[in-house]
Amino acid sequence: METFPVINLEKLNGEERATIMEQIKDACENWGFFELLNHGIPHEFLDTVERLTKEHYKKCMEQRFKELVASKALEGLQAEVTDMDWESTFFLRHLPESNMAEIPDLAHEYRKVMKEFALKLEKLAEELLDLLCENLGLEKGYLKKAFHGTRGPTFGTKVSNYPPCPKPDKIKGLRAHTDAGGIILLFQDAQVSGLQLLKDGQWVDVPPMRHSIVINLGDQLEVITNGKYKSVEHRVIAQTNGARMSIASFYNPGSDAIIHPAPALVENKRLYPKFVFEDYMKLYAGLKFQAKEPRFQAMKARETTLPIATA
């Protein structure tokens, strides 16, 4: 079995650039996932994010989750549950406008740190999109521009905790799906595993590594690259021991961005439709845990004479 791609960016701007770029290219083409070390976000800062996230869960969310489990009788499951997940979550929106001020129960320090974290991740996402452009032979800034719409990208964070589960064979932490959007940056628990991706028909563990950021590609990058890069199905397995923290940030196109394969990547045939991102998201909302191909087909059936940007 091939090993999961772990890429150290420390010497990206030095003599190892060609090697690192090749590693990124291979990960994008063959995995749809990779793990970054030395990505530029300080380790002490990540430690603070982790500490405050776990404190917030204990103080504000743990009891609520226990009550939910009790109300739905999830402790003594006999049959497999396929319509919900063993996770406790909340969402933060950063772009085009923040909802941070509206989220109740966030301590002042946590709110401040998560704002700063979002800025660091936004910068990293845009740097990564330009590395992808370089590997794809697209002009620098092409992907950022493709995501822009009239108001810039959509960027938000899903903060999840996966508490210990008494019946992990009967319920998933998070059911299998591909991500609808652009590029996803995940800061996950360094001790407790659970995230898996589907590769060549086998579920492969994404290894927990201290201070790493896991990257995966969403459906929109599959469309823009005309299938050169693919979004990959992944899931979270619930664990009997240990609570797993997961902070996934989604750098997505703006709601009115028109998504289509980049003309430079259409060699013989355009394999994917052209659509408005918001329309895709409306469709995805009801079909998240189903195969992505029918979503693309549904968008193709609706395809209209949307203008294609010349960028």
Side-chain angles (χ1 to χ4, degrees):
M1 186 63 147
E2 301 165 90
T3 54
F4 183 84
V6 177
I7 301 172
N8 187 340
L9 293 184
E10 186 178 14
K11 295 180 179 169
L12 177 65
N13 294 317
E15 69 277 10
E16 291 178 28
R17 184 178 181 83
T19 304
I20 294 167
M21 291 300 287
E22 188 57 37
Q23 289 172 343
I24 294 171
K25 179 174 181 280
D26 180 71
C28 289
E29 289 181 356
N30 298 308
W31 288 83
F33 266 81
F34 51 97
E35 201 152 358
L36 292 180
L37 301 174
N38 290 308
H39 38 66
I41 302 177
H43 291 179
E44 314 75 56
F45 183 79
L46 291 174
D47 289 341
T48 301
V49 170
E50 181 172 357
R51 174 178 60 80
L52 293 173
T53 298
K54 289 180 172 178
E55 282 174 9
H56 176 77
Y57 174 73
K58 280 268 181 225
K59 184 179 166 200
C60 301
M61 302 190 72
E62 187 173 42
Q63 187 55 38
R64 219 176 298 163
F65 185 76
K66 285 177 178 170
E67 287 165 9
L68 173 72
V69 167
S71 72
K72 298 206 176 274
L74 296 178
E75 291 280 1
L77 290 173
Q78 299 303 314
E80 189 172 358
V81 174
T82 57
D83 62 349
M84 66 177 294
D85 304 301
W86 188 269
E87 65 171 357
S88 169
T89 66
F90 65 96
F91 294 86
L92 300 173
R93 193 174 62 246
H94 313 302
L95 296 172
E97 60 272 314
S98 172
N99 72 343
M100 287 275 220
E102 300 154 31
I103 305 290
D105 309 327
L106 289 187
H108 175 71
E109 184 190 7
Y110 189 34
R111 205 180 298 264
K112 186 165 157 261
V113 164
M114 290 306 277
K115 269 188 185 172
E116 191 180 341
F117 192 29
L119 290 172
K120 292 180 188 300
L121 288 169
E122 182 189 346
K123 179 172 177 280
L124 178 58
E126 291 178 353
E127 287 168 357
L128 287 168
L129 287 177
D130 275 343
L131 295 180
L132 267 55
C133 284
E134 191 175 328
N135 273 338
L136 289 161
L138 297 171
E139 67 183 70
K140 186 176 181 181
Y142 180 93
L143 290 170
K144 184 180 176 184
K145 194 171 176 183
F147 281 23
H148 195 274
T150 56
R151 301 178 65 207
T154 309
F155 187 45
T157 298
K158 177 186 176 190
V159 182
S160 306
N161 281 274
Y162 298 93
C165 178
K167 295 281 183 101
D169 56 327
K170 296 286 190 273
I171 188 168
K172 296 286 184 293
L174 181 58
R175 288 160 285 165
H177 63 288
T178 65
D179 288 326
I183 191 165
I184 298 87
L185 305 93
L186 169 70
F187 176 42
Q188 66 167 348
D189 207 287
Q191 271 81 43
V192 183
S193 63
L195 178 61
Q196 297 182 326
L197 66 97
L198 191 62
K199 178 162 170 58
D200 304 327
Q202 304 284 318
W203 287 104
V204 178
D205 289 327
V206 176
M209 293 182 76
R210 193 154 177 74
H211 301 132
S212 73
I213 300 286
V214 176
I215 306 299
N216 72 284
L217 311 181
D219 295 349
Q220 306 312 304
L221 283 177
E222 179 167 338
V223 172
I224 294 170
T225 65
N226 203 36
K228 195 172 177 68
Y229 296 167
K230 298 273 200 306
S231 60
V232 170
E233 210 172 322
H234 51 286
R235 67 183 186 183
V236 176
I237 298 297
Q239 307 286 359
T240 50
N241 298 315
R244 177 178 174 269
M245 176 202 76
S246 160
I247 304 174
S249 295
F250 300 82
Y251 187 100
N252 291 346
S255 59
D256 66 352
I258 297 170
I259 302 300
H260 57 85
L265 300 178
V266 178
E267 287 162 27
N268 299 310
K269 188 181 177 194
R270 185 160 66 88
L271 301 174
Y272 292 81
K274 178 177 38 160
F275 51 82
V276 176
F277 178 61
E278 187 174 31
D279 292 342
Y280 187 85
M281 288 307 290
K282 285 175 185 167
L283 183 71
Y284 179 86
L287 303 172
K288 175 176 177 176
F289 299 109
Q290 296 177 30
K292 64 186 170 183
E293 290 76 13
R295 298 197 292 264
F296 293 144
Q297 286 160 12
M299 297 316 294
K300 187 164 185 59
R302 296 184 196 177
E303 201 165 2
T304 58
T305 53
L306 295 167
I308 287 187
T310 52

